[in-house]
């Protein structure tokens, strides 16, 4: 005779894991796949904040854009500057290292007790030998990070991530006309030769990456343009949802010339990255409490009346020689206070080719492309 329990077995709680995974896949814009163990809490938090089951997409984006990200970033900046007791430094930094996969063996100072606050730890320097420069490539990566997008600029529109574009003119602002005066295309106005084309590459710096950015080639910076703006996250998942995110966020655009014509490097700020520092420009102040929407401030590095001004740079030679700030390939240019994005826009011969794959990891000094 079959024995039966005196009370019914309790049913197991059925957690809709597949549904949750589908929601996370929609949020990230990619095929569903198991989340790395180190990032599961972050992925779940992103799902909760998205409120995808409660609000339409447009309302979620509008709600996110209404967050006081500039105020939060300034508060985070002050927190980063608070000196930590010596006994507390190793536990806090170890938690950060564990969460974001930081490689401290590359750091110039591996002793965690050396870093007095979070800001110093974020901006840690690397050992000189760990980032060799690619001698065979005319263009190297300016930062450690992930390649979000690259290619030719078409119709004056640039992709921030696959399928989501932003206006080149809104991103750089009005420019000195270098090319065909009769052309109605903003892209063509930047080109100095009809035999050249305009290219771009986007490098995303995650919180665990090295936070300094370097000169990707030998070039001359003529203008610094600072756009105050929002400080929304530039995570690829958010970049897929917010059109023209790079044009809305605070950014510092350095524009000038290299051997093939127009060249620009733009540091795009993000949440908790209100502080963008350029080593040779001590006047630059980012994430101010107040600003006029759509405004920008320019500083020309081209000397007036043949005046020659020396500008001290960190990690490389940078001096104003009448026609701008001269930067050598690999020279340290500036730093973020956490992770963010670098956008390169440059003129080159039409046979220029990238040696990249979308989504690949890259480090400072590695080649981007060749002629």
């Amino acid at each position: 005779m079959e024995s039966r329990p005196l009370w019914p077995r309790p049913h197991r709680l059925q957690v809709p894991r597949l549904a949750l995974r589908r929601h996370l896949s929609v949020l990230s814009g990619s095929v569903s796949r198991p989340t790395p163990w180190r990032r599961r809490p972050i992925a779940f938090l992103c799902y909760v904040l998205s409120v995808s089951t409660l609000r339409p997409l447009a309302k979620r984006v509008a709600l996110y854009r209404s967050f006081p990200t500039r105020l939060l970033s300034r508060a985070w900046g002050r927190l980063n500057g608070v000196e930590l007791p010596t006994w507390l430094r190793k536990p806090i930094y170890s938690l950060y290292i564990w969460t974001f996969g930081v490689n401290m063996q590359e750091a110039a100072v591996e002793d965690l007790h050396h870093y007095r606050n979070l800001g110093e730890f974020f901006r840690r320097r690397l050992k000189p030998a760990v980032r060799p420069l690619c001698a065979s490539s005319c263009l190297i990566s300016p930062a450690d990070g992930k390649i979000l997008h690259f290619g030719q600029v078409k119709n004056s529109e640039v992709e921030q991530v696959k399928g989501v574009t932003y206006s080149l003119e809104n991103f750089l602002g009005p420019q000195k006309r270098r090319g065909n005066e009769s052309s109605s295309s903003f892209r063509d106005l930047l080109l100095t030769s009809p035999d050249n084309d305009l290219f771009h590459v986007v490098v995303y710096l995650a919180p665990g990456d090295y936070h300094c950015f370097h000169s990707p080639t030998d070039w001359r910076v003529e203008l610094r343009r600072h756009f105050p703006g929002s400080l929304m996250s530039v995570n690829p998942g958010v970049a897929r949802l917010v059109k023209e995110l790079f044009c809305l966020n605070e950014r510092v655009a350095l524009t000038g010339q290299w051997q093939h014509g127009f060249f620009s490097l733009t540091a795009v700020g993000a949440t908790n990255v209100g502080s963008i520092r350029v080593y040779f420009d001590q006047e630059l102040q980012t994430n101010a409490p107040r600003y006029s929407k759509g405004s920008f401030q320019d500083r020309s590095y081209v000397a007036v009346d043949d005046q020659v001004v020396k500008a001290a740079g960190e990690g490389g030679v940078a001096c104003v020689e009448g026609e701008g700030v001269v930067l050598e390939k690999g020279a340290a240019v500036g730093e973020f206070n956490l992770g963010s994005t670098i956008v390169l826009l440059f003129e080159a011969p039409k046979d220029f080719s990238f040696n990249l794959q979308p989504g690949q990891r890259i480090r400072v000094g590695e080649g981007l492309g060749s002629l």
Side-chain angles (χ1 to χ4, degrees):
M1 182 177 179
E2 183 181 358
S3 61
R4 295 182 180 180
L6 297 178
W7 53 82
R9 292 181 179 177
H11 292 287
R12 288 188 177 182
L13 179 63
Q14 299 297 319
V15 180
R17 287 181 292 180
L18 291 178
L20 176 60
R21 185 171 295 179
R22 288 193 190 98
H23 284 304
L24 289 174
S25 132
V26 170
L27 181 64
S28 64
S30 58
V31 179
S32 174
R33 58 182 181 276
T35 308
W37 62 271
R38 192 186 297 135
R39 299 180 183 173
R40 283 176 185 167
I42 298 174
F44 182 74
L45 178 60
C46 290
Y47 168 71
V48 172
L49 292 177
S50 72
V51 203
S52 58
T53 59
L54 301 178
R55 301 177 186 274
L57 177 61
K59 290 185 178 180
R60 283 189 284 131
V61 173
L63 177 64
Y64 175 65
R65 290 184 60 177
S66 68
F67 286 169
T69 52
R70 293 180 63 85
L71 178 62
L72 293 174
S73 296
R74 284 195 297 274
W76 178 257
R78 291 186 179 181
L79 179 62
N80 281 357
V82 175
E83 184 168 347
L84 297 174
T86 305
W87 62 269
L88 193 57
R89 295 173 188 175
K90 187 172 182 178
I92 289 181
Y93 301 149
S94 296
L95 177 62
Y96 189 91
I97 291 169
W98 174 78
T99 303
F100 296 108
V102 177
N103 184 2
M104 284 302 294
Q105 293 182 348
E106 295 181 337
V109 180
E110 297 184 36
D111 182 10
L112 298 181
H113 297 99
H114 169 79
Y115 303 99
R116 295 172 298 177
N117 52 53
L118 286 167
E120 288 188 0
F121 178 72
F122 294 149
R123 299 186 299 271
R124 64 194 175 275
R125 297 296 189 264
L126 301 183
K127 297 171 183 175
V130 299
R131 294 293 183 271
L133 305 183
C134 178
S136 62
S137 179
C138 62
L139 198 64
I140 61 172
S141 176
D144 287 10
K146 179 191 294 186
I147 299 296
L148 290 190
H149 206 272
F150 61 90
Q152 293 182 344
V153 176
K154 299 178 181 179
N155 303 322
S156 299
E157 292 281 330
V158 188
E159 286 195 293
Q160 59 191 27
V161 290
K162 188 175 182 180
V164 181
T165 63
Y166 58 93
S167 164
L168 180 61
E169 185 171 6
N170 291 341
F171 183 70
L172 290 178
Q175 296 288 312
K176 176 183 176 182
R177 298 193 172 192
R178 308 169 189 269
N180 185 1
E181 297 288 340
S182 62
S183 175
S184 59
S185 168
F186 183 84
R187 165 191 166 278
D188 292 341
L189 293 176
L190 297 176
L191 299 176
T192 60
S193 170
D195 297 327
N196 291 343
D197 213 331
L198 195 65
F199 299 84
H200 83 286
V201 61
V202 182
V203 182
Y204 167 69
L205 291 74
D209 287 324
Y210 168 60
H211 303 306
C212 296
F213 50 94
H214 295 244
S215 176
T217 189
D218 295 328
W219 66 302
R220 185 179 68 250
V221 185
E222 298 173 347
L223 179 74
R224 178 262 286 163
R225 176 165 288 166
H226 171 215
F227 295 84
S230 301
L231 287 172
M232 292 179 282
S233 171
V234 291
N235 182 281
V238 177
R240 291 185 181 93
L241 299 177
V242 182
K243 183 176 175 58
E244 296 216 332
L245 172 63
F246 292 167
C247 296
L248 297 172
N249 269 14
E250 181 154 10
R251 60 198 182 278
V252 176
L254 304 176
T255 59
Q257 297 283 308
W258 74 319
Q259 60 179 326
H260 301 296
F262 174 80
F263 196 93
S264 74
L265 180 153
T266 302
V268 182
T271 308
N272 298 334
V273 196
S275 175
I276 302 173
R277 184 182 174 196
V278 175
Y279 295 141
F280 56 80
D281 190 339
Q282 301 302 316
E283 295 181 8
L284 176 64
Q285 298 292 330
T286 56
N287 196 12
R290 297 181 182 178
Y291 71 96
S292 298
K293 189 174 182 179
S295 65
F296 58 83
Q297 295 87 42
D298 285 351
R299 183 187 178 188
S300 175
Y301 299 126
V302 178
V304 180
D305 298 329
D306 297 328
Q307 180 183 9
V308 178
V309 182
K310 295 295 181 180
E314 295 184 21
V317 178
C319 62
V320 178
E321 297 181 341
E323 292 298 329
V325 178
V326 179
L327 293 177
E328 296 180 354
K329 181 180 179 181
V333 176
E335 65 189 26
F336 293 109
N337 263 345
L338 197 58
S340 196
T341 298
I342 294 289
V343 178
L344 298 182
L345 285 155
F346 58 93
E347 178 180 359
K350 293 182 178 180
D351 59 352
F352 178 86
S353 61
F354 286 101
N355 304 322
L356 302 172
Q357 295 294 328
Q360 81 170 69
R361 295 286 305 172
I362 199 162
R363 305 198 303 177
V364 171
E366 294 181 350
L368 294 178
S370 59
L371 290 168

